[in-house]
Amino acid sequence: MEEKSISDIIEEYLKQILGESSQIEIRRSEIANHFDVVPSQINYVIKTRFTIQHGYLVQSKRGGGGYIRIERVNLLDNVDVLNSLIQAIGDSISERDAYDIVRTLYDEKLLTRREGDLMLVALSKQTLNVNDCNVEARLRARILISMLNRLRYES
């Protein structure tokens, strides 16, 4: 049986707290104390697991009364969120980050499995093989942004 990393456990915990709510507010130090980890571990989990590519918006307020707000967003119902996602893609995107976006669209039931699989094939390293990783990442970004814009207009 595969043993879970502390990051996986913290992610599951935060998602469990989020549950059916649209957002949660947490204190980084409280979560760190709960898991007996340094606060930067909580930052790592939030920065890597709760991104716009995964369907979350994160806001934070520093200081004594500070908090971290994690909000689950519907990617295609909110034009601002979709624009943020496209902006996050920028001029280039890795295959892994593109996969995360497609996975989120599938998890949100905005794509069928077949549509998601076709998107992944179109965005894959094997398909875009032009013997230059930078060119592939730029081409992948252009294709993904075009697909997202098409989804937006059909929704």
Side-chain angles (χ1 to χ4, degrees), residues 95-117:
E95 184 176 27
R96 173 70 188 176
D97 287 344
Y99 173 86
D100 287 343
I101 290 170
V102 173
R103 179 71 191 188
T104 299
L105 294 170
Y106 174 75
D107 289 346
E108 292 293 317
K109 299 184 180 9
L110 299 169
L111 299 175
T112 65
R113 183 181 180 105
R114 184 167 191 250
E115 291 167 336
D117 286 344

Side-chain angles (χ1 to χ4, degrees), residues 31-38:
I31 302 295
N33 288 338
H34 179 78
F35 289 100
D36 195 28
V37 296
V38 294

Side-chain angles (χ1 to χ4, degrees), residues 32-85:
N33 288 338
H34 179 78
F35 289 100
D36 195 28
V37 296
V38 294
S40 62
Q41 179 73 40
I42 307 305
N43 283 352
Y44 170 79
V45 171
I46 290 171
K47 280 187 173 244
T48 59
R49 314 284 177 97
F50 293 89
T51 63
I52 190 73
Q53 292 93 331
H54 290 103
Y56 297 93
L57 284 178
V58 176
Q59 299 172 321
S60 63
K61 179 181 178 251
R62 298 197 181 270
Y67 61 84
I68 298 173
R69 180 180 298 138
I70 302 172
E71 181 178 359
R72 186 110 176 96
V73 294
N74 188 334
L75 294 176
L76 296 181
D77 283 351
N78 186 330
V79 174
D80 292 337
V81 173
L82 185 59
N83 289 339
S84 294
L85 181 58

Side-chain angles (χ1 to χ4, degrees), residues 9-28 30-32 34-35 42 46 50 56 68-72:
I9 294 167
I10 294 168
E11 175 189 12
E12 282 180 17
Y13 177 77
L14 292 174
K15 286 182 177 178
Q16 183 180 5
I17 293 173
L18 191 57
E20 295 299 316
S21 303
S22 61
Q23 71 179 23
I24 58 170
E25 285 185 10
I26 60 167
R27 296 207 187 306
R28 184 177 69 142
E30 290 175 8
I31 302 295
H34 179 78
F35 289 100
I42 307 305
I46 290 171
F50 293 89
Y56 297 93
I68 298 173
R69 180 180 298 138
I70 302 172
E71 181 178 359
R72 186 110 176 96

